[in-house]
Amino acid sequence: MAMPHRAGLAHNPAIDVSGKENPMYRRIMLAVDGSTPAALALKEAIRLGKALACEVHLVHVVDDAGAAYDLGYFEPAAVNQKLLDAGREYLRRAAAELATAGVAHSERLIEEPFAPTDIAVTIDQAAREASADIIVMGTHGRRGVRRLLMGSVAEGVLRLSRVPVLLVQGEDDSPAFSLRRSGQA
């Protein structure tokens, strides 16, 4: 695999005219999960990575906690392999976009959450291990009952993180419920 492009000193916006390093962000951690909000977060991470000439560390956490509920009876090994393959594909696609944009990057597939059923803890821990200066991630923007029932990984990361978190909101695909006046379709 080719080495990612790294900007030189002359074109590095992270270095000011006096030659001192910009203390802003040197390493962005981007959590990817194949969703539309994650794709939007990738675009934002590319913009930051290019503007600041910093590295983007991609991470995908394999989450099989809901598989039993979604599938009923299932073969754990087969489901886990499909989840691993999907995670690798999410990372491959994101890495390809970063490479095309000329942004230095690395990638990490976490096969099991550090804290089972709590992806936010795992993302926060991965950011610490990667020495990330900022975490960028998508959020579905769920509200009300849907958020209560489904939880929010983004909210958990926001609460746990010791570094700034940039949340990129995707459009919620449908309202949790709708109010209609009588006579309206």
Side-chain angles (χ1 to χ4, degrees):
M1 184 156 102
M3 292 297 294
H5 170 75
R6 294 194 183 262
L9 179 63
H11 302 289
N12 189 339
I15 307 288
D16 69 21
V17 290
S18 68
K20 294 182 182 173
E21 193 172 321
N22 180 344
M24 196 159 196
Y25 306 128
R26 285 181 232 116
R27 192 152 206 209
I28 298 167
M29 195 185 88
L30 173 65
V32 295
D33 65 2
S35 67
T36 299
L40 295 171
L42 171 61
K43 297 203 179 314
E44 204 57 41
I46 288 170
R47 286 180 41 187
L48 277 173
K50 287 176 79 169
L52 300 173
C54 56
E55 180 182 3
V56 174
H57 179 69
L58 297 166
V59 67
H60 174 77
V61 181
V62 175
D63 179 18
D64 65 354
Y69 300 111
D70 292 342
L71 302 174
Y73 174 77
F74 71 102
E75 187 178 332
V79 171
N80 191 50
Q81 188 58 51
K82 287 185 187 282
L83 292 171
L84 287 169
D85 291 344
R88 286 185 190 101
E89 182 62 15
Y90 301 149
L91 290 169
R92 185 195 65 74
R93 287 181 183 177
E97 284 195 46
L98 287 160
T100 298
V103 177
H105 61 278
S106 59
E107 46 195 89
R108 180 178 179 194
L109 177 67
I110 300 174
E111 296 186 21
E112 293 183 22
F114 299 138
T117 72
D118 197 344
I119 302 303
V121 169
T122 305
I123 290 172
D124 178 61
Q125 183 62 36
R128 291 173 195 225
E129 290 174 5
S131 300
D133 300 305
I134 186 171
I135 300 170
V136 177
M137 61 188 299
T139 179
H140 293 275
R142 293 183 185 105
R143 292 169 189 60
V145 175
R146 286 177 72 191
R147 182 165 149 232
L148 179 66
L149 294 174
M150 298 178 80
S152 172
V153 171
E155 183 180 339
V157 171
L158 195 58
R159 275 195 321 253
L160 292 169
S161 181
R162 294 182 183 162
V163 299
V165 176
L166 173 61
L167 298 178
V168 180
Q169 186 170 340
E171 292 185 23
D172 198 358
D173 50 355
S174 63
F177 62 90
S178 61
L179 299 175
R180 295 187 184 162
R181 293 182 185 180
S182 58
Q184 287 184 331

